Amino acid sequence: MSEKVEFELVSPERLLVSEAVEMVVVPGAEGDFGVLAGHAATVSSIRPGVLAVFENGNVTSRVFLSGGFAEVTPERCTVLADDAAALEDMNRAEIEKSIADLRDDVNAARDDAEKNAAEKALAIAEAKIAALDSSMY
Amino acid sequence: MPTLKDLKTRITSVKSTRKITLAMKMVAAAKLRRAQEQAEAARPYAERMDRMLGSLAAAAAGRPGAPAMLAGTGKDDVHLLIVATADRGLCGGFNTSIVRASRAHIRALRDQGKTVKILCVGKKGNDQLRREYRNSIIDVVNDIGKPSLTFADAGDVADKITRMYDAGEFDICTIVYNRFQSAMTQVVTQQQLIPFAPPEAKEGEEAAGADRLYEYEPEESEILDALLPRNISVQVYRALLENAASEQGARMTAMDSATRNAGDMIDSLSIQYNRARQAAITKELIEIISGAEAL
């Protein structure tokens, strides 16, 4: 397959990736979806999960996203990530520790807003562990 | 006529002032480079956000039930003004120009009988506005972005704004900051944050963006609800980054001219000092010679 899709991954701080790739699999809010060249125009929000870039049928890089939005057009796939980190850079022990801390935060939260914020952070941390454990790709 | 000793102390003191301003200039130059890089790195996200929101908003704006952040509250009685300044002074007209623009804006709004609330980001704006508008200042955010501005910092400010808007505390929100043009020039800019004003579509781009029909996952309204507060964070972040770069640019320019002025002053003081010294020597010589002649 010769046609490629222009893939861009941007976080608020900087442009992380901008290259033509064969396929990206984006963790959409309602399920993962793969984007090849010629994909229907879509706007989707992103759940905490792993974005995978494919080249020649193999995964070349895996990036953990904590949330954000994706805009897909037939030529382009733009991912606006809230926060992005390469999967291989993540430290399991650190995340497990932060999960324990966040659990305490959820229990210690004084009002709903605090509780919601802690629960959100907890969900992201748990998704990170799940991403590390998953054998997909 | 100042004595030799007076002149000498003045020269020393101006010299040490020059050392300080020179050091501040170099620090500002280094910080400016970093701030500029950061501002440039943040640009792609903001641009893409604009593009995405622009097409979404254009589609949703006309419809009933559009989110309040897009359509507004239908009134414009209460204005929230976010005055973004620096925490520190010694940067030329940087803070003053923002405050001056804010004052003019506040006065114009008050003349129309509107209520104005002020949110100060940065110490200096608060210091200068406090005397006149003490009762209007509802909140102050200090020491933002130390050591460097992160998106989370801007997110906190944006959260505050969003919460207040949801509670119906204001109808229209505007941010005042300095847009960075070059180290020499900063442009005071007022930007409306709420309700969302879609950026003017450029020629040619419009055809690509507006006609395209997107599929939405999940519902369009849900995405819009999530995207709009996000956009506030992005705009605040962008404004604060521009402001940080402008601050360093202004400081660099101000310190540069201060250094130069100090140099000029040292020169003229040195001439004065040398003349005074020469005059004293001549006077002594005359005294000696006339003393010798009298013998």
Side-chain angles (χ1 to χ4, degrees):
Chain A
M1 174 142 171
S2 59
E3 254 188 275
K4 295 207 163 188
V5 53
E6 287 293 329
F7 169 60
E8 281 180 323
L9 175 61
V10 261
S11 79
E13 269 100 5
R14 64 204 175 92
L15 180 69
L16 293 159
V17 184
S18 174
E19 60 183 0
V21 299
E22 191 185 318
M23 176 169 90
V24 272
V25 175
V26 181
E30 294 180 345
D32 289 5
F33 58 92
V35 179
L36 291 154
H39 192 282
T42 307
V43 172
S44 170
S45 56
I46 289 173
R47 68 179 156 77
V50 178
L51 176 143
V53 179
F54 282 76
E55 208 66 72
N56 300 325
N58 296 314
V59 179
T60 50
S61 72
R62 298 202 292 160
V63 184
F64 182 85
L65 309 175
S66 58
F69 304 94
E71 184 200 26
V72 181
T73 67
E75 313 82 46
R76 236 189 354 237
C77 172
T78 310
V79 176
L80 302 178
D82 294 352
D83 192 18
L87 205 60
E88 50 260 39
D89 295 345
M90 291 201 302
N91 181 341
R92 193 189 181 93
E94 247 170 55
I95 300 166
E96 271 168 356
K97 188 170 168 296
S98 77
I99 287 186
D101 290 347
L102 286 165
R103 287 228 167 91
D104 292 343
D105 285 355
V106 171
N107 292 330
R110 273 161 307 183
D111 52 33
D112 280 352
E114 235 174 73
K115 194 166 180 186
N116 279 341
E119 271 172 355
K120 222 182 213 171
L122 183 62
I124 290 172
E126 276 171 349
K128 275 185 188 168
I129 291 291
L132 283 175
D133 286 344
S134 96
S135 53
M136 271 220 294
Y137 317 129
Chain B
M1 184 75 190
T3 65
L4 274 183
K5 192 164 171 6
D6 288 344
L7 279 172
K8 202 158 198 176
T9 14
R10 277 205 70 191
I11 291 175
T12 344
S13 105
V14 177
K15 264 189 185 156
S16 51
T17 310
R18 184 175 63 171
K19 262 184 208 151
I20 293 171
T21 56
L22 188 66
M24 279 183 83
K25 181 189 136 190
M26 307 234 255
V27 171
K31 279 190 181 165
L32 169 66
R33 201 169 317 128
R34 242 196 5 227
Q36 223 176 328
E37 269 165 22
Q38 212 186 350
E40 265 158 30
R43 220 163 272 165
Y45 189 90
E47 273 167 16
R48 283 165 185 87
M49 185 67 127
D50 274 350
R51 198 174 63 199
M52 207 152 129
L53 202 53
S55 55
L56 265 167
R63 249 172 291 149
M69 241 179 228
L70 188 65
T73 50
K75 298 178 288 183
D76 64 339
D77 297 335
V78 187
H79 286 246
L80 177 72
L81 197 65
I82 301 163
V83 182
T85 52
D87 279 324
R88 301 202 298 152
L90 284 181
C91 42
F94 176 80
N95 291 317
T96 335
S97 57
I98 296 177
V99 170
R100 201 183 305 130
S102 311
R103 268 209 196 102
H105 192 70
I106 294 168
R107 218 165 285 145
L109 286 173
R110 287 219 168 142
D111 287 346
Q112 294 168 33
K114 317 271 190 229
T115 316
V116 181
K117 292 179 177 177
I118 304 169
L119 171 67
C120 287
V121 181
K123 263 181 217 143
K124 285 290 161 184
N126 181 35
D127 288 349
Q128 294 184 25
L129 286 172
R130 198 169 40 193
R131 190 166 313 167
E132 213 172 326
Y133 303 110
R134 175 180 286 274
N135 298 325
S136 303
I137 297 179
I138 45 171
D139 210 344
V140 182
V141 185
N142 283 339
D143 289 329
I144 195 165
K146 278 188 182 161
S148 76
L149 187 72
T150 64
F151 188 68
D153 292 331
D156 290 343
V157 178
D159 273 352
K160 254 184 207 159
I161 301 170
T162 318
R163 261 204 305 278
M164 273 173 3
Y165 188 68
D166 288 343
E169 288 179 34
F170 64 88
D171 303 315
I172 288 178
C173 173
T174 315
I175 186 165
V176 186
Y177 66 99
N178 264 332
R179 198 158 48 81
F180 182 81
Q181 210 161 51
S182 71
M184 301 286 286
T185 7
Q186 296 88 31
V187 187
V188 182
T189 311
Q190 295 179 10
Q191 192 192 351
Q192 183 172 315
L193 291 180
I194 300 175
F196 172 71
E200 311 255 316
K202 287 182 205 115
E203 292 288 319
E205 246 175 61
E206 202 175 6
D211 298 344
R212 185 165 276 142
L213 286 172
Y214 284 101
E215 278 173 35
Y216 295 99
E217 231 181 276
E219 286 305 300
E220 194 174 339
S221 57
E222 262 176 70
I223 290 198
L224 208 50
D225 281 345
L227 212 50
L228 284 167
R230 187 89 193 144
N231 180 54
I232 305 284
S233 311
V234 173
Q235 299 299 346
V236 171
Y237 184 57
R238 174 154 69 173
L240 292 180
L241 281 179
E242 292 270 342
N243 224 18
S246 301
E247 181 197 344
Q248 299 306 337
R251 178 165 294 127
M252 196 176 93
T253 323
M255 287 304 120
D256 184 51
S257 55
T259 310
R260 221 167 313 134
N261 286 345
D264 292 348
M265 206 162 167
I266 290 171
D267 285 348
S268 73
L269 280 174
S270 305
I271 289 176
Q272 217 184 328
Y273 174 78
N274 289 341
R275 283 214 183 111
R277 192 180 50 126
Q278 197 58 53
I281 293 171
T282 317
K283 208 174 103 199
E284 266 172 43
L285 272 179
I286 290 172
E287 275 164 10
I288 293 169
I289 293 167
S290 48
E293 267 175 7
L295 281 176

